[in-house]
Amino acid sequence: MTKKFFKISFNVVVYIFAAIGLFLMAGYFAVKFGLTNEKGIVDTQRDAFLGIHVVPEKQAGPAVPWKESEEWEVLSAALTRDQATLNKAANDSGVPARLIAANLVAEQLRLFFTEREYYKQFFSPLKILGSQTQFSWGVMGMKENTAIKVEAYLKDPSSPFYPGPQYEHLLDFETSDIEGERFTRMTDQHNHYWSYLYAGLYIKEIEAQWRTAGFPIDGNVAILSTLYNIGFTHSNPNPDPQVGGAAITAGDKTFSFGGLAADFYNSDLLTAEFPK
């Protein structure tokens, strides 16, 4: 009886390990042959930038042009209240306020038309901008790693992104807790100056990179906004850059991030507050 029990137990253990081995082997081949691959947001953004067709997810929103939507009314009110703060950041970074605002509009419309519950509960009734605190930070939706690069390029004259000595100390920290101070700066829901300043300096650094490479894009709103959206890593100076970025359904139409930013910039919206 005892021998039979041990024999059965031994067989059970063998079968369990065999099953585990089979599972691990299946997982290995699934990874090896790409069966587990999913298209990430970075790939989608890069494909759009390179001119490859992007099929966006269907998003909620009124079937009217975004410029006539309730979402724009909310965003317009919030932007108008931030006029002085945004203009200060623009002046400090040397980038036109309307260019920073164009990227803000694209990022905020993306939030307003996708994060519907937050929009209904907070953004709309309070007429405020959406400030992110997780994967991307602040009202401009900048990732921490991007912010760190912006800081580093300001102080590196050997970098193609270096915008000039007059900008080197704009992002100096006041405490030894750099990570904490950076997070507080960029996610401050009451003062968006730092979010705007980081965005302006990012654009300034991208302009420097392309100018140094012999392909100046200063003032090219659609391309600069595309590059703001897809990040430093995908900024490759060339003679024929394409407008793209994340696909955003705003109102009755789907735009690329760069296209939506340019659509605002070239419009007559808020031209008194942020001239062209």
Side-chain angles (χ1 to χ4, degrees):
M1 182 69 178
T2 303
K3 288 184 178 181
K4 185 176 181 180
F5 172 77
F6 281 114
K7 183 177 181 180
I8 293 174
S9 299
F10 176 77
N11 288 338
V12 169
V13 171
V14 170
Y15 291 145
I16 290 174
F17 277 103
I20 292 173
L22 182 62
F23 175 78
L24 293 175
M25 184 177 295
Y28 168 78
F29 283 109
V31 172
K32 181 177 178 63
F33 292 107
L35 301 179
T36 61
N37 290 353
E38 291 188 18
K39 197 172 187 66
I41 187 66
V42 173
D43 291 332
T44 300
Q45 292 172 351
R46 184 176 66 248
D47 289 351
F49 185 58
L50 295 175
I52 300 172
H53 179 61
V54 176
V55 180
E57 295 181 5
K58 186 174 180 58
Q59 302 169 11
V64 298
W66 69 265
K67 298 171 189 174
E68 301 172 14
S69 68
E70 174 193 303
E71 285 79 1
W72 167 246
E73 292 181 10
V74 172
L75 178 52
S76 177
L79 248 177
T80 301
R81 281 202 307 272
D82 252 10
Q83 178 184 355
T85 303
L86 202 159
N87 280 331
K88 183 180 187 312
N91 183 65
D92 291 345
S93 64
V95 171
R98 192 169 182 84
L99 177 52
I100 299 174
N103 285 271
L104 175 68
V105 166
E107 178 61 23
Q108 290 295 310
L109 286 178
R110 181 190 69 79
L111 282 177
F112 284 13
F113 280 97
T114 56
E115 301 294 337
R116 299 304 295 173
E117 289 306 312
Y118 285 107
Y119 172 78
K120 293 174 184 176
Q121 294 180 32
F122 304 107
F123 306 152
S124 179
L126 299 176
K127 301 291 190 293
I128 60 174
L129 299 173
S131 183
Q132 303 169 74
T133 59
Q134 295 184 358
F135 301 109
S136 298
W137 288 356
V139 295
M140 296 298 299
M142 182 175 286
K143 290 180 171 56
E144 180 185 17
N145 185 54
T146 301
I148 291 171
K149 289 180 179 179
V150 170
E151 297 160 6
Y153 294 146
L154 286 184
K155 296 179 179 293
D156 184 4
S158 66
S159 169
F161 295 101
Y162 180 67
Q166 65 270 40
Y167 302 102
E168 286 188 8
H169 298 290
L170 284 178
L171 298 179
D172 286 356
F173 292 94
E174 297 179 356
T175 70
S176 58
D177 181 12
I178 293 177
E179 290 186 3
E181 189 175 344
R182 180 186 298 117
F183 179 80
T184 300
R185 281 177 172 181
M186 299 187 68
T187 61
D188 190 333
Q189 297 188 33
H190 304 291
N191 182 0
H192 304 137
Y193 169 77
W194 289 105
S195 282
Y196 298 145
L197 183 61
Y198 271 87
L201 291 172
Y202 176 97
I203 292 170
K204 198 73 177 176
E205 291 173 352
I206 289 291
E207 288 179 336
Q209 180 205 22
W210 284 64
R211 194 183 313 114
T212 299
F215 305 108
I217 54 173
D218 300 44
N220 190 328
V221 177
I223 298 303
L224 287 168
S225 299
T226 297
L227 293 167
Y228 179 83
N229 184 232
I230 66 176
F232 283 119
T233 305
H234 301 296
S235 178
N236 301 306
N238 67 84
D240 187 30
Q242 302 298 308
V243 180
I248 302 172
T249 298
D252 63 345
K253 185 177 178 181
T254 297
F255 299 81
S256 66
F257 187 99
L260 182 55
D263 197 40
F264 164 77
Y265 187 94
N266 295 324
S267 74
D268 293 326
L269 299 172
L270 298 183
T271 51
E273 293 80 4
F274 307 108
K276 296 180 184 178

